[in-house]
Amino acid sequence: KAGVTQTPRYLIKTRGQQVTLSCSPISGHRSVSWYQQTPGQGLQFLFEYFSETQRNKGNFPGRFSGRQFSNSRSEMNVSTLELGDSALYLCASRMTQRENEQFFGPGTRLTVL
Amino acid sequence: KNQVEQSPQSLIILEGKNCTLQCNYTVSPFSNLRWYKQDTGRGPVSLTIMTFSENTKSNGRYTATLDADTKQSSLHITASQLSDSASYICVVSAMVGYGNKLVFGAGTILRVKS
């Protein structure tokens, strides 16, 4: 069974631009969560989607948004990029929100210049 | 407030030595605790999971302990190898209305030197 895949793996943008990251969960997994990871900050929870609905949200500004499609694939969008948005963005999937283990993708490394 | 604190923040040890990483939590109601290993630039991978009734669980050279009374866990690495260099993240699950809420620690960065 294929693992969680994320595209692209690396991305360079400039301030003010917007970016869309994609995540394909493990087949059969319906819950997808997004995290931002910066050095020294650990994993910061962005949001979780289940059955195309956002179920939980972390403390991030409205510039960060997401969506989930009927096939459980998810996208995350960041508008009006700031230098501080440079980070590793991780996607994780689990079968349902009742499962306690999440399986992580390799991440997308976003650099904002 | 649900929190997970890990110590130390970073650690450098010589290859072949043992080390212990700590995780203290205030998450409630407790469901389980999981240790992840994250190699640089990669996603975290689960090492062990422990439920309320488990005190010790091993996975090769990794041994996790849990004291549910004091709300502390440790991850002990025996005979360290260069490949153990990574970030180790403690994650505690809390049973909430919709399912399991995951609370992440900031991680301990381990560097093993030859």
Side-chain angles (χ1 to χ4, degrees), chain B residues 1 3 9 20 24-25 27-29 34-35 41 45 57 60 75 84-85 96 102 107 111 113:
Chain B
K1 184 180 177 182
Q3 284 188 314
Q9 275 189 315
T20 300
N24 296 339
Y25 61 92
V27 177
S28 180
R34 192 181 293 272
W35 284 93
V45 175
K57 185 168 281 188
L75 180 68
D84 292 330
S85 295
V96 294
L102 305 178
R111 182 181 162 206
K113 292 172 51 178

Side-chain angles (χ1 to χ4, degrees), chain B:
Chain B
K1 184 180 177 182
N2 288 328
Q3 284 188 314
V4 175
E5 294 185 355
Q6 293 187 243
S7 62
Q9 275 189 315
S10 61
L11 185 62
I12 302 175
I13 62 173
L14 288 176
E15 188 178 14
K17 298 295 186 183
N18 304 335
C19 69
T20 300
L21 314 181
Q22 298 290 344
C23 173
N24 296 339
Y25 61 92
T26 58
V27 177
S28 180
F30 177 86
S31 177
N32 59 70
L33 183 148
R34 192 181 293 272
W35 284 93
Y36 281 89
K37 178 187 178 189
Q38 184 179 19
D39 293 317
T40 302
R42 308 285 293 273
V45 175
S46 178
L47 288 174
T48 66
I49 179 172
M50 303 187 73
T51 58
F52 186 87
S53 59
E54 294 175 303
N55 299 119
T56 304
K57 185 168 281 188
S58 292
N59 177 2
R61 294 179 296 100
Y62 300 100
T63 299
T65 65
L66 175 65
D67 186 332
D69 291 331
T70 62
K71 298 187 177 181
Q72 296 179 324
S73 175
S74 65
L75 180 68
H76 186 74
I77 304 174
T78 304
S80 61
Q81 300 176 359
L82 297 179
S83 60
D84 292 330
S85 295
S87 177
Y88 292 84
I89 303 169
C90 175
V91 184
V92 182
S93 289
M95 282 298 297
V96 294
Y98 64 83
N100 273 289
K101 176 177 179 175
L102 305 178
V103 185
F104 287 77
T108 291
I109 299 173
L110 173 65
R111 182 181 162 206
V112 180
K113 292 172 51 178
S114 58

Side-chain angles (χ1 to χ4, degrees), chain A residues 34-89:
Chain A
W34 287 91
Y35 298 87
Q36 181 194 67
Q37 188 176 41
T38 54
Q41 288 294 313
L43 284 159
Q44 303 293 315
F45 173 71
L46 280 156
F47 29 66
E48 180 176 19
Y49 284 86
F50 180 76
S51 292
E52 302 177 64
T53 302
Q54 187 181 92
R55 303 291 177 152
N56 293 294
K57 190 175 186 302
N59 296 322
F60 278 81
R63 299 184 298 107
F64 293 81
S65 63
R67 59 178 175 169
Q68 186 179 35
F69 302 95
S70 58
N71 61 359
S72 295
R73 191 177 70 85
S74 177
E75 288 182 346
M76 189 192 86
N77 185 275
V78 187
S79 62
T80 319
L81 284 167
E82 301 177 359
L83 295 178
D85 296 333
S86 295
L88 180 68
Y89 289 88

